[in-house]
Amino acid sequence: MSVTGASPTVGQALPPVGSTVRPRHSRNNRSAYLYLAPIIISALVFTIAPFILTLYYSFTNWDLRFRRFNYSWVGLDNYRDVFATGGAFYPVLGWTVAFMVITTLVNVGVGMFLALLLNHPGLRERNVYRTLLIIPWALPFILLIQVWGGIFNDQATSPLNAILTDIGLNPVAWTSEVAPARFAVLAANLWFSYPFFMTVGLAALQAIPRDLYEVADLDGAGWLSRFRDITFPFLLTAVMPLLITQAAFQFNNAGIIILLTNGRPGTTTYGATDTLASLAYKTIFEKQDPSLAAAYGFVVFLIIASFTIVNAVVTRSFEEAA
Amino acid sequence: MATNTASGVPVRTTPAVAPRSASFFESAKNRQQLEVWAIRLVLWAFIVVALFPVVYVLMISFKGGSPSLYSRSFIPDVLTLDNYSNLLEGNFPRWVGNSLLLGISCGFITVFFATLAGYAFSRLRFRGRRYGILLLLIIQMLPGTLNVVAYYRMLDEVSLLNTRIGLIAIFGFGGSALGVWLMKNFIDSVPKDLDEAAYLDGASNLRAFWTIIFPLVQPMLVAQFIFGFIGVYNEYLITTILLSDPDKYPLGVGVRTFSTQFNTQWTLFCAAAVLGSLPILIVFFLAQRLLVEGLTRGAIKG
């Protein structure tokens, strides 16, 4: 109910709402910084200072055990360790990129598919389905990811394996074999993500002007050409900006890995489901090497930041009407 | 950005199609019925799979007997509230309190900052306006895993390591760029004439903000507060590193002690998951309209 209720607003927002608003005259110049002061100060203290500090630590051998002052400058040693041949970086980078691409396409694709189904004009009870389908979004990630951890458990009596046995299949060692563990990560991630894309997709679909379809009908356009020429372009317009942010988010997504498989299966160096972000995280405490973790994190940051800047330039999504 | 929404969509025209006969129309209607039933089937199949974990956890939370490992069937033989009462006797209520404290404080801080900055970015002109938000968003793309090393050291330096105040500072002040961005887009959608009128009446920026903008963006404030709250509620990675004392854990981190691989108190965990999820679920559905609008207005800009 609520989403269909909200969609006219979304529809109104479809024209370039943000970009046409012209900034006020220059007399407001100075007071702007008053409004911005809190966020500037907190960004300096809680984001930029840690950033610089981390960058600095990535050139040292700082160690949590040394605590304060007992560390020294080691130059590029940590970065050499990161990129060392035979190390974790390249295999983990490979899976990180694969994970990012697959999970983004699957999450967005399934969300859009459900939105298309829900948008069928003959489906009068669509709000029932929509409400049920949106539930994974409404539940707290931190608790439900632990539930998924229980479901994708290796034991033969774990919920999923019990079902598999019931329908005559063999139980699966979900976190001990590479392919099942990767499947589990992708499946759990899909579960958490599809409701958002379904909602956005449905809003975008309902914002498509009816007359477009009527014109298409007059032209005798079939189902396929209606979809290809009207529905799909509209969906794409709504989703394109989200695809990039979703991909960037997933590249960085350490939480789902740490909480679901903790990188398993694999060695102490790295696991088959480890992403660069989860590897960096595990380096802090499991390997007791925060300065190496800092180097990892900084490399991840450079990848993401260049990704974002290229995206911003290409799509001009951050540009204002000058 | 503007051209590809309403006007620029190509409508393919297929010339000279024979008019539909009446009998074709009949069968098209039937075919639509068939389509709708196929869609229902797919949706129900999807719903059953998607809601399996939810139903499963609910069932297990009422299950008696051995609290440890999975049992073959997830339909409880005996319904019991033991798991819930055990939960309430332990650390659980304390974790709930911690979560509330963290979530509410961070929610307020986030909303306050995002509103002020979002207003400035939307309505005022100043040096750095154009790339300010981009800069904020990029800086925030630092993986939390990267920052956590520095957070640890910074909090250690001011003796706030392993304190809830330290955590509030990090989460409340550390992460509002997205909020600023969403708030800016929301304020952009408030007609400019409204505050122009206030300016003509001689109102200051602050007055225009307070009397015109603030009441209109209240739905967004609520949405942002809920996002802030849920964001902190769901945080695990940074929290576990900055807090070492289980008494200070928020709920999600505390409950992890029930669910870890080799020492599983599964029925207890399930009861905790149900209790910890219900309030969020209820708030989400009560505020769903606001939340969806808050996100999609920012997200769908055409």
Side-chain angles (χ1 to χ4, degrees):
Chain A
M1 200 223 114
S2 335
V3 163
T4 42
S7 61
T9 339
V10 173
Q12 284 155 22
L14 270 167
V17 162
S19 38
T20 52
V21 175
R22 285 193 176 272
R24 261 197 75 72
H25 331 304
S26 51
R27 72 178 169 91
N28 295 313
N29 255 343
R30 256 170 237 127
S31 61
Y33 295 107
L34 274 178
Y35 289 90
L36 292 169
I39 200 130
I40 290 175
I41 292 168
S42 69
L44 280 175
V45 176
F46 292 97
T47 314
I48 295 174
F51 176 77
I52 293 169
L53 200 58
T54 311
L55 186 58
Y56 169 66
Y57 283 143
S58 74
F59 295 107
T60 70
N61 61 359
W62 183 60
D63 185 309
L64 291 179
R65 286 163 302 191
F66 296 163
R67 299 306 276 271
R68 294 190 177 202
F69 303 110
N70 203 1
Y71 55 87
S72 53
W73 182 266
V74 296
L76 288 170
D77 276 8
N78 287 316
Y79 290 90
R80 261 181 223 115
D81 285 354
V82 167
F83 294 114
T85 43
F89 184 78
Y90 296 104
V92 171
L93 177 67
W95 164 242
T96 308
V97 171
F99 168 75
M100 172 184 81
V101 172
I102 298 171
T103 209
T104 303
L105 292 181
V106 170
N107 296 355
V108 176
V110 169
M112 292 302 134
F113 176 67
L114 290 170
L116 281 169
L117 293 187
L118 287 174
N119 196 43
H120 194 285
L123 200 70
R124 286 211 208 96
E125 73 282 25
R126 87 169 48 93
N127 286 329
V128 176
Y129 304 133
R130 204 190 46 79
T131 307
L132 289 173
L133 284 169
I134 219 170
I135 286 177
W137 187 11
L139 294 169
F141 168 82
I142 177 95
L143 296 173
L144 271 295
I145 187 65
Q146 296 177 54
V147 170
W148 278 107
I151 287 174
F152 283 122
N153 190 281
D154 283 5
Q155 291 173 50
T157 53
S158 75
L160 195 52
N161 279 338
I163 292 173
L164 288 179
T165 330
D166 280 349
I167 58 175
L169 299 171
N170 290 326
V172 175
W174 290 106
T175 59
S176 309
E177 287 169 37
V178 175
R182 288 179 168 174
F183 172 81
V185 169
L186 292 169
N189 211 12
L190 169 65
W191 191 81
F192 287 105
S193 312
Y194 81 83
F196 172 70
F197 293 107
M198 183 187 82
T199 307
V200 171
L202 198 57
L205 287 175
Q206 293 183 341
I208 299 178
R210 291 289 132 211
D211 17 336
L212 282 182
Y213 288 116
E214 282 161 22
V215 171
D217 271 349
L218 288 178
D219 283 341
W223 176 87
L224 190 68
S225 67
R226 283 159 57 112
F227 179 77
R228 192 187 49 206
D229 296 333
I230 304 177
T231 315
F232 190 68
F234 262 91
L235 268 188
L236 208 62
T237 313
V239 163
M240 265 322 268
L242 296 180
L243 271 181
I244 307 292
T245 40
Q246 171 75 11
F249 170 77
Q250 296 296 357
F251 193 89
N252 246 338
N253 192 350
I256 192 156
I257 310 289
I258 297 287
L259 285 164
L260 192 67
T261 63
N262 199 25
R264 278 189 309 273
T267 61
T268 47
T269 325
Y270 69 94
T273 54
D274 263 326
T275 60
L276 287 177
S278 75
L279 188 68
Y281 182 80
K282 283 160 69 180
T283 307
I284 300 173
F285 271 75
E286 284 182 18
K287 290 180 202 157
Q288 292 275 323
D289 199 343
S291 50
L292 180 63
Y296 264 119
F298 196 70
V299 171
V300 174
F301 166 73
L302 285 182
I303 297 173
I304 295 281
S306 44
F307 195 66
T308 311
I309 292 171
V310 168
N311 166 50
V313 171
V314 170
T315 66
R316 303 184 175 187
S317 52
F318 293 102
E319 289 219 353
E320 297 294 330
Chain B
M1 204 144 53
T3 49
N4 55 3
T5 53
S7 53
V9 175
V11 180
R12 209 177 66 109
T13 49
T14 34
V17 167
R20 296 163 174 176
S21 67
S23 69
F24 176 74
F25 222 60
E26 287 281 320
S27 71
K29 206 171 179 184
N30 286 340
R31 196 187 302 161
Q32 177 169 1
Q33 272 305 307
L34 209 68
E35 261 174 42
V36 171
W37 275 105
I39 287 176
R40 285 191 181 121
L41 208 68
V42 175
L43 286 175
W44 274 118
F46 201 92
I47 288 169
V48 167
V49 175
L51 293 191
F52 168 72
V54 180
V55 175
Y56 171 81
V57 165
L58 204 59
M59 296 285 211
I60 296 291
S61 75
F62 293 109
K63 194 177 161 75
S66 153
S68 60
L69 295 172
Y70 314 108
S71 65
R72 191 65 187 72
S73 122
F74 66 87
I75 297 156
D77 324 311
V78 197
L79 285 177
T80 170
L81 288 173
D82 284 359
N83 298 317
Y84 289 94
S85 57
N86 287 340
L87 204 56
L88 296 177
E89 280 160 20
N91 255 337
F92 188 79
R94 186 186 285 273
W95 294 335
V96 172
N98 290 336
S99 273
L100 287 176
L101 177 73
L102 283 173
I104 291 174
S105 329
C106 295
F108 271 118
I109 296 172
T110 311
V111 167
F112 182 67
F113 284 17
T115 312
L116 290 182
Y119 174 73
F121 276 115
S122 172
R123 287 295 203 258
L124 308 178
R125 171 165 271 185
F126 53 90
R127 195 183 280 271
R129 172 178 183 273
R130 208 162 160 187
Y131 294 106
I133 286 197
L134 181 57
L135 191 69
L136 272 179
L137 285 170
I138 288 181
I139 288 171
Q140 212 145 68
M141 266 165 203
L142 292 167
T145 49
L146 171 59
N147 268 344
V148 76
V149 175
Y151 288 154
Y152 187 92
R153 175 64 196 277
M154 286 165 67
L155 291 187
D156 194 20
E157 202 67 31
V158 291
S159 304
L160 285 178
L161 205 54
N162 194 24
T163 63
R164 280 157 292 197
I165 293 177
L167 216 57
I168 290 172
I170 297 292
F171 290 142
F173 297 109
S176 22
L178 185 66
V180 176
W181 169 245
L182 292 174
M183 193 60 93
K184 173 202 172 298
N185 285 337
F186 195 87
I187 295 176
D188 279 349
S189 71
V190 173
K192 201 93 215 316
D193 308 352
L194 291 177
D195 30 330
E196 289 294 346
Y199 290 126
L200 288 180
D201 288 345
S204 63
N205 275 333
L206 189 65
R207 196 170 174 79
F209 170 73
W210 188 249
T211 56
I212 308 289
I213 305 285
F214 186 74
L216 287 175
V217 298
Q218 271 173 11
M220 190 61 180
L221 298 183
V222 175
Q224 293 251 321
F225 180 83
I226 296 174
F227 284 135
F229 186 97
I230 292 179
V232 176
Y233 198 87
N234 281 333
E235 215 292 322
Y236 178 83
L237 301 181
I238 297 177
T239 311
T240 40
I241 286 190
L242 298 184
L243 291 182
S244 48
D245 189 349
D247 275 2
K248 294 171 184 162
Y249 281 167
L251 189 149
V253 176
V255 162
R256 179 90 172 145
T257 53
F258 299 148
S259 83
T260 39
Q261 187 93 355
F262 296 111
N263 179 27
T264 309
Q265 296 169 284
W266 193 238
T267 53
L268 201 59
F269 164 76
C270 287
V274 171
L275 278 190
S277 299
L278 260 186
I280 304 285
L281 185 77
I282 291 168
V283 168
F284 183 93
F285 276 107
L286 285 180
Q288 197 195 104
R289 196 180 179 140
L290 294 178
L291 298 179
V292 169
E293 193 182 325
L295 271 183
T296 45
R297 264 225 227 180
I300 302 184
K301 271 191 53 179

